[in-house]
Amino acid sequence: AGAGAGAGAGPALRSYPHSAVLDGAGSYLLRWGRRGSALALRLEVRTRGYVGFGLSASGGMASADIVLGGVKGGQPYLQDYFTDENRVLKKDPQQDYHLEYAMENSTHTILAFSRELHTCDTNDKSITESTVRVIWAYHHKDMGEAGQNYHGSNRGTKSLRLLNPEREEVSSASLPFFDLTNKDVPVPDKDTTYWCQMFKIPVQHEKHHVTKVEPLIQKGHENLVHHILLYQCSSNLNDSVLDYGHECYHPNMPDSFLTCETVIFAWAIGGEGFTYPPHVGLSIGTAADPLFVLMEVHYDNPTFTEGLIDNSGLRLIYTPVLRKYDAGVIEAGLWVSLFHNIPPGMPEFVSEGHCTLECLEEALGAERPAGIQVFAVLLHAHLAGRAIRMRHFHNGEEQKLLAYDDEFDFNFQEFQYLKEERTILPGDNLVTECHYSTVDRIRMTWGGLSTRNEMCLSYLLYYPRINLTRCASIPDIMEQLQFIGVKEIYRPVRTWPFIIKSPKQYKNLSFMDAMNKFKWSRAEGLSYNQLVLKLPVNVRCSKTDNAEWSIQGMTALPPEIERPYKTEPVICSSSSCLSCSLFLTLLCIVYTTASTIGNTGPFV
């Protein structure tokens, strides 16, 4: 079987509840699990040479935190490295990765090791609940053989959440399911397409619970299908709406599509299936449940590829064994509109969308005075997005963040399970805080549907289901325009975007053209940002079936909140070999003395 090191087979596989295949060929499997203040990792790689693993802010080699290891001549080795901004590999003077098990057989190398989440080492990346861009590589030879061994094409990157809370997986193998999939949709040769197709839920007349939703992405279209939203539509429709799909948000779009306002599920690129907690399910089959649903698929085709035909969609797995609660979804954040805008050339710009206390007071006060329980959140932005936080205020006091991603990756968006369910009460405030970078842009970035436009949204999965589907805000546009010197617009407003009357330099320009004409500097952008965050907001507070709570359309002031958000202090612990168990200490000595690794290596 080959050479091994460590006790028995190393830590049991149950120590690594999460796993991901990092490469397309299935040659590199990562398993991991949290162990107190440390993370335990296990690499299973189809090679008899070295294996590389790392954490990177960008997904590239620059300024990365790297570990390299393998088994050579029967002796295990593992070494902590880092790269500088020029991608030069250097041995880390503080060795924070600790080998626990190593094995090599005729085909594979297996390495099990651990590392503290926060190591006090400036060359290491802290491991948090944010997205982590994992980088990987391997070579058929061990380190030091034949000099510098470059990994060639055996390398890549994958975004993951390494601190996923463990969740109870209920086997769904024997449960019934139905698929909602597009049928031969011709994807236009344009940048962004939203395609809408109406479906009828096949389960009727008796209540069931959907327990899991899985994406069915056509092979080869993993980068084309950017996100899928499932909306509940009016139950007064008839089967004639099922006959054809159509581009969403199009002037010729069927009127029936306008009745589909309530998001009941959201999936975005990079995400996997979503399993509901054991006590919650998405209700189907009763008069209050979705009968007609609209599936909106966002196709992202920046290369304008012609002739693409897509059949992607969703699989819904359900059970007649009812759970205690029905799940609901609330869309919170910034209403998608041109009133949300970001100046060009800004290394950081912050936008905030408010689920206001006025909306939550009215809706929860009427429907659920005891509050709702949020159990998962999906944070959503587009290409300029860099970080998103969901802030929660109760009686004006800030609570722990509901959800956050300080390393937001446009290509990896999925529901985050909360470690502990959070109660949202009448009169609470929820603020979706989005951080953007537009340093590479020379024109304004506008709120909108294209991936080149921006969004700032949070989708909250909660129970028990109430009649609140959207809790959002729009900032006041006139005060934004006054910042660039606009004095008057033509009234009544007959065109969109509306036209400016004065001053002279903006006369007869649309407000979009005027904002683009303004000479933005970073200092101006910063001043504008400070203004926008304090502006009154227009409240959006929606029910199902296009109905609205009475607070809809009212003006409210954003809450007085501390900016920037103060992150909780990190307690870091340097775990040198002295703090390892005796077994690890001995293993450290073995691989340190047996290693022939120098100060530079092949991981470039």
Side-chain angles (χ1 to χ4, degrees):
L13 287 184
R14 66 176 175 271
S15 306
Y16 312 98
H18 308 292
S19 63
V21 176
L22 301 190
D23 68 321
S27 296
Y28 197 124
L29 175 66
L30 165 67
R31 301 181 190 271
W32 76 93
R34 186 164 181 172
R35 192 189 291 163
S37 64
L39 190 72
L41 302 111
R42 177 182 167 109
L43 311 178
E44 301 174 13
V45 186
R46 190 177 291 127
T47 183
R48 288 174 56 86
Y50 78 74
V51 173
F53 175 86
L55 310 174
S56 163
S58 65
M61 275 298 302
S63 304
D65 174 6
I66 291 168
V67 62
L68 296 167
V71 178
K72 183 180 179 184
Q75 295 293 340
Y77 61 92
L78 192 84
Q79 195 86 51
D80 187 350
Y81 286 88
F82 68 95
T83 54
D84 61 19
E85 64 275 12
N86 297 317
R87 309 193 308 165
V88 175
L89 189 73
K90 302 176 181 181
K91 189 193 289 187
D92 196 330
Q94 182 176 309
Q95 292 288 306
D96 290 301
Y97 288 90
H98 299 299
L99 187 63
E100 299 178 358
Y101 173 74
M103 189 276 286
E104 183 182 81
N105 61 21
S106 58
T107 58
H108 281 71
T109 296
I110 297 176
L111 299 172
F113 52 91
S114 62
R115 203 208 84 175
E116 290 291 322
L117 302 177
H118 311 287
T119 63
C120 322
D121 183 351
T122 54
N123 298 319
D124 290 346
K125 296 270 180 273
S126 275
I127 298 169
T128 70
E129 290 172 35
S130 295
T131 297
V132 176
R133 290 165 178 83
V134 164
I135 56 175
W136 58 270
Y138 63 90
H139 195 278
H140 69 280
K141 290 186 176 179
D142 277 298
M143 292 177 62
E145 291 180 22
Q148 296 263 350
N149 294 325
Y150 178 58
H151 47 59
S153 62
N154 296 325
R155 60 183 170 83
T157 180
K158 188 176 180 73
S159 287
L160 298 169
R161 279 198 183 83
L162 294 177
L163 296 192
N164 284 335
E166 290 174 34
R167 57 187 187 273
E168 204 173 315
E169 280 287 357
V170 180
S171 172
S172 56
S174 59
L175 291 177
F177 63 86
F178 58 90
D179 294 344
L180 308 176
T181 53
N182 282 323
K183 298 289 182 287
D184 296 329
V185 170
V187 181
D189 55 342
K190 62 179 185 178
D191 187 38
T192 295
T193 301
Y194 284 78
W195 185 264
C196 284
Q197 173 74 49
M198 194 81 78
F199 296 90
K200 192 174 187 178
I201 298 291
V203 180
Q204 296 153 37
H205 313 305
E206 192 177 340
K207 186 179 177 80
H208 292 72
H209 270 137
V210 172
T211 60
K212 187 172 186 178
V213 185
E214 296 177 338
L216 299 174
I217 307 302
Q218 182 175 322
K219 192 167 177 60
H221 287 189
E222 291 80 6
N223 291 320
L224 175 69
V225 181
H226 187 265
H227 73 246
I228 302 176
L229 292 178
L230 199 61
Y231 295 88
Q232 179 172 350
C233 305
S234 169
S235 48
N236 300 323
L237 301 173
N238 61 53
D239 288 6
S240 65
V241 302
L242 305 173
D243 294 341
Y244 60 95
H246 200 283
E247 273 198 59
C248 322
Y249 314 108
H250 189 279
N252 300 330
M253 181 176 85
D255 290 345
S256 58
F257 288 11
L258 298 171
T259 72
C260 311
E261 281 284 312
T262 305
V263 174
I264 55 174
F265 185 73
W267 171 88
I269 190 167
E272 297 181 5
F274 182 82
T275 303
Y276 287 85
H279 54 300
V280 187
L282 175 64
S283 182
I284 53 173
T286 78
D289 296 332
L291 176 59
F292 292 95
V293 294
L294 183 77
M295 186 173 75
E296 172 190 299
V297 180
H298 173 187
Y299 294 111
D300 188 32
N301 185 12
T303 56
F304 304 96
T305 304
E306 297 180 9
L308 294 170
I309 304 291
D310 185 65
N311 293 279
S312 299
L314 298 171
R315 171 165 293 173
L316 282 74
I317 298 160
Y318 63 97
T319 176
V321 181
L322 298 184
R323 284 146 179 228
K324 189 171 181 181
Y325 297 107
D326 294 344
V329 183
I330 296 170
E331 180 184 287
L334 262 172
W335 185 266
V336 180
S337 81
L338 298 175
F339 295 179
H340 173 210
N341 50 71
I342 307 161
M346 297 300 294
E348 175 160 274
F349 190 92
V350 180
S351 299
E352 289 176 354
H354 297 276
C355 177
T356 63
L357 67 88
E358 291 86 356
C359 178
L360 290 175
E361 185 78 63
E362 182 179 9
L364 287 176
E367 296 258 323
R368 182 75 179 175
I372 55 173
Q373 302 297 124
V374 176
F375 60 88
V377 177
L378 185 146
L379 303 170
H380 183 66
H382 286 173
L383 284 167
R386 295 296 178 268
I388 311 178
R389 299 189 183 110
M390 184 67 166
R391 300 174 71 172
H392 176 206
F393 297 82
H394 176 64
N395 292 333
E397 291 285 318
E398 180 149 21
Q399 311 298 298
K400 191 177 176 188
L401 286 175
L402 193 61
Y404 72 93
D405 191 347
D406 290 336
E407 300 286 346
F408 175 77
D409 182 351
F410 166 76
N411 293 310
F412 179 67
Q413 302 179 46
E414 64 177 1
F415 275 105
Q416 300 179 32
Y417 297 87
L418 304 191
K419 281 202 188 74
E420 297 173 354
E421 292 175 354
R422 182 75 63 87
T423 305
I424 308 297
L425 292 163
D428 283 6
N429 272 91
L430 299 173
V431 181
T432 305
E433 176 188 289
C434 296
H435 295 246
Y436 303 100
S437 171
T438 58
V439 284
D440 56 348
R441 301 188 181 192
I442 58 172
R443 295 174 68 79
M444 295 290 292
T445 297
W446 301 96
L449 300 173
S450 164
T451 52
R452 262 46 72 179
N453 296 139
E454 266 313 325
M455 292 187 179
C456 181
L457 295 171
S458 303
Y459 292 96
L460 280 64
L461 274 178
Y462 72 94
Y463 68 85
R465 180 177 62 186
I466 62 169
N467 197 359
L468 176 64
T469 63
R470 190 172 278 121
C471 182
S473 69
I474 307 175
D476 184 282
I477 187 64
M478 291 313 297
E479 290 207 43
Q480 295 181 55
L481 291 175
Q482 285 168 15
F483 180 86
I484 65 164
V486 171
K487 292 187 165 48
E488 191 180 1
I489 67 170
Y490 284 104
R491 294 183 188 276
V493 173
R494 299 187 193 280
T495 60
W496 181 254
F498 56 74
I499 306 300
I500 292 165
K501 189 173 182 181
S502 70
K504 193 174 177 181
Q505 77 254 36
Y506 299 137
K507 187 175 175 67
N508 295 330
L509 291 181
S510 73
F511 77 82
M512 294 178 73
D513 289 337
M515 292 286 262
N516 274 319
K517 185 176 180 182
F518 184 74
K519 290 188 165 37
W520 290 99
S521 63
R522 287 191 183 176
E524 295 277 15
L526 191 57
S527 299
Y528 180 66
N529 200 169
Q530 290 166 346
L531 166 80
V532 169
L533 293 176
K534 293 174 182 169
L535 290 180
V537 297
N538 186 287
V539 175
R540 316 305 289 177
C541 196
S542 312
K543 300 180 180 181
T544 52
D545 279 347
N546 275 338
E548 298 166 349
W549 289 96
S550 68
I551 196 72
Q552 171 105 346
M554 302 276 191
T555 298
L557 283 171
E560 288 289 326
I561 64 177
E562 189 174 359
R563 295 189 187 94
Y565 172 79
K566 276 194 179 164
T567 52
E568 294 179 25
V570 165
I571 300 169
C572 61
S573 50
S574 172
S575 58
S576 68
C577 281
L578 295 174
S579 64
C580 302
S581 68
L582 178 60
F583 161 65
L584 291 187
T585 308
L586 291 171
L587 197 50
C588 284
I589 294 166
V590 167
Y591 81 70
T592 303
T593 54
S595 169
T596 58
I597 303 166
N599 278 323
T600 59
F603 202 94
V604 209

